[in-house]
């Protein structure tokens, strides 16, 4: 499998200075995958870096067309399956031997590599299924491995325009590894695509706190506040329009309308006052 240095355009997240990579879920496993980092935050071991998430989709994350609907009548297992709680999985694995855990982890990594190959070929549904199978096998104590699997499955789902399930996968990846920049960027992009601009801005800000050099996050933090303000103004105008229509409906039997009431704002205090106007047309 290729290292991240060979994958374009993953340049924006190289050299990250991640803080803590430990997680409370590691306690039940002695061989949790946690590659050592050098002072620059990059693993000196190329083999360790191969386990990173290969697919960070910026701007072109989604399929150009909506995925064709499955009319076969048979639901895919990955779509209907509900991922079990990580803590619950840890409880189930209490009596599992370290040898068995390692064996299951190795099997899941093979499935992950198969998923990566399928993703590169553009077989996104098959890649998603491979990541889902890997998650079924991978022990919960290997939380870093599972975090990457969730993020990779999110990438495959993004390519199929499955935004909500992709957001869920990104969130699960971040629960297992809060410092996972790629999963955070991916979720921010998904939030933006689903018009959840406030949530997107929060994720982009979080990225900049972890690594100020990420251009995509810096650009979004400058752009989104204005978009959020414009959206809020539009929503405000729509709400006032609906209230005006409702007011006219109530006042019409009395020979009145909302035009008979002038709303004025005090520039010094910001408070509003309402004045009744008998003949509003005479004031124009």
């Amino acid at each position: 499998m290729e290292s991240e240095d060979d994958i374009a355009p993953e340049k924006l997240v190289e050299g990250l200075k991640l803080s803590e990579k430990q997680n409370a879920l590691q306690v039940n496993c002695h061989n949790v995958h946690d590659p050592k980092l050098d002072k620059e935050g990059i693993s000196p071991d190329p083999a360790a870096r191969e386990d990173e998430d290969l697919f960070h989709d910026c701007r072109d994350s989604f399929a150009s067309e909506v995925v064709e609907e499955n009319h076969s009548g048979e639901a895919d297992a990955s779509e209907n399956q509900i991922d079990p709680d990580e803590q619950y999985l840890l409880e189930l694995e209490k009596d599992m031997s370290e040898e068995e855990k390692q064996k299951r982890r190795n099997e899941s990594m093979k499935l992950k590599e198969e998923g990566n190959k399928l993703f590169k070929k553009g077989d996104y549904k098959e890649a998603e299924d491979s990541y889902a199978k890997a998650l079924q096998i991978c022990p919960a104590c290997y939380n870093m491995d599972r975090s990457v699997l969730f993020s990779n499955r999110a990438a495959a789902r993004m390519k199929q325009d499955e935004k909500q399930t992709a957001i869920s996968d990104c969130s699960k990846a971040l629960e297992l590894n809060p410092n996972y920049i790629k999963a955070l960027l991916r979720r921010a992009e998904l939030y933006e695509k689903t018009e959840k601009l406030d949530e997107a801005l929060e994720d982009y800000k979080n990225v900049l706190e972890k690594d100020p050099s990420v251009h995509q996050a810096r650009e979004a933090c400058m752009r989104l506040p204005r978009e959020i303000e414009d959206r809020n103004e539009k929503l405000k105008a729509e709400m006032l329009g609906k209230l005006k229509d409702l007011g006219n409906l109530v006042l019409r039997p009395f020979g009145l309308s909302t035009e008979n009431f002038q709303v004025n704002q005090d520039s010094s205090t910001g408070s509003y006052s309402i004045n009744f106007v008998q003949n509003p047309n005479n004031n124009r």
Side-chain angles (χ1 to χ4, degrees), residues 15-22 33-45 48-49 52 144 177 179:
L16 304 180
K17 298 183 179 180
L18 305 185
S19 54
E20 296 181 7
K21 294 192 62 136
Q22 299 297 327
H33 173 61
D34 186 13
K36 303 298 182 182
L37 303 179
D38 61 19
K39 63 181 181 179
E40 294 300 324
I42 299 297
S43 169
D45 181 8
R49 294 188 63 192
E52 291 298 321
M144 293 298 179
N177 181 9
N179 292 311

Side-chain angles (χ1 to χ4, degrees), residues 23-259:
N23 188 288
L25 295 179
Q26 294 175 319
V27 294
N28 292 324
C29 187
H30 299 299
N31 296 319
V32 175
H33 173 61
D34 186 13
K36 303 298 182 182
L37 303 179
D38 61 19
K39 63 181 181 179
E40 294 300 324
I42 299 297
S43 169
D45 181 8
R49 294 188 63 192
E50 287 181 354
D51 286 326
E52 291 298 321
D53 175 6
L54 293 179
F55 310 112
H56 174 60
D57 307 279
C58 299
R59 303 300 179 191
D60 60 344
S61 298
F62 300 93
S64 58
E65 298 180 0
V66 177
V67 179
E68 200 171 303
E69 184 179 354
N70 184 2
H71 294 287
S72 64
E74 296 181 2
D76 294 303
S78 63
E79 292 178 356
N80 286 338
Q81 179 185 351
I82 299 177
D83 297 306
D85 180 77
E86 297 293 313
Q87 198 63 43
Y88 172 73
L89 291 177
L90 284 172
E91 290 295 325
L92 292 180
E93 294 167 10
K94 277 185 175 180
D95 298 327
M96 187 182 295
S97 67
E98 294 301 319
E99 182 179 358
E100 177 63 20
K101 290 178 182 177
Q102 187 61 47
K103 179 182 176 182
R104 290 169 67 89
R105 182 200 176 205
N106 292 340
E107 292 175 0
S108 72
M109 291 300 98
K110 289 180 181 179
L111 286 167
K112 171 193 162 187
E113 291 177 5
E114 289 177 12
N116 290 348
K117 292 177 182 178
L118 289 166
F119 189 100
K120 291 178 182 179
K121 289 167 57 179
D123 298 331
Y124 302 122
K125 179 57 185 171
E126 291 77 5
E128 176 190 348
D129 292 341
S130 289
Y131 297 135
K133 291 175 182 177
L135 282 165
Q136 292 174 9
I137 296 173
C138 185
C141 60
Y142 296 106
N143 56 306
M144 293 298 179
D145 291 335
R146 291 182 63 80
S147 179
V148 171
L149 286 170
F150 275 121
S151 186
N152 277 9
R153 190 173 70 174
R157 286 176 166 175
M158 288 172 75
K159 286 293 187 179
Q160 299 172 82
D161 206 36
E162 299 173 5
K163 301 182 184 69
Q164 296 303 325
T165 53
I167 288 174
S168 177
D169 276 349
C170 289
S171 296
K172 290 171 184 174
L174 290 165
E175 287 174 7
L176 294 170
N177 181 9
N179 292 311
Y180 202 167
I181 295 289
K182 288 182 179 179
L184 199 55
L185 277 171
R186 183 167 289 143
R187 189 175 70 175
E189 183 183 354
L190 280 160
Y191 278 145
E192 192 171 351
K193 291 288 186 179
T194 53
E195 299 183 359
K196 296 180 179 178
L197 303 184
D198 300 278
E199 292 87 343
L201 181 59
E202 188 66 27
D203 275 355
Y204 283 127
K205 287 180 178 179
N206 199 353
V207 169
L208 285 183
E209 289 177 1
K210 299 177 186 301
D211 184 1
S213 69
V214 180
H215 173 74
Q216 181 187 358
R218 188 168 60 252
E219 182 271 335
C221 286
M222 293 186 292
R223 169 176 48 82
L224 283 179
R226 178 61 181 172
E227 292 184 17
I228 290 173
E229 182 180 348
D230 290 343
R231 179 207 61 187
N232 291 344
E233 288 298 321
K234 182 180 178 181
L235 290 173
K236 179 182 176 181
E238 291 176 355
M239 181 187 69
L240 290 175
K242 291 179 180 179
L243 288 174
K244 183 176 180 180
D245 291 341
L246 179 61
N248 287 331
L249 182 64
V250 173
L251 294 170
R252 189 174 297 122
F254 303 96
L256 299 173
S257 73
T258 54
E259 297 295 331

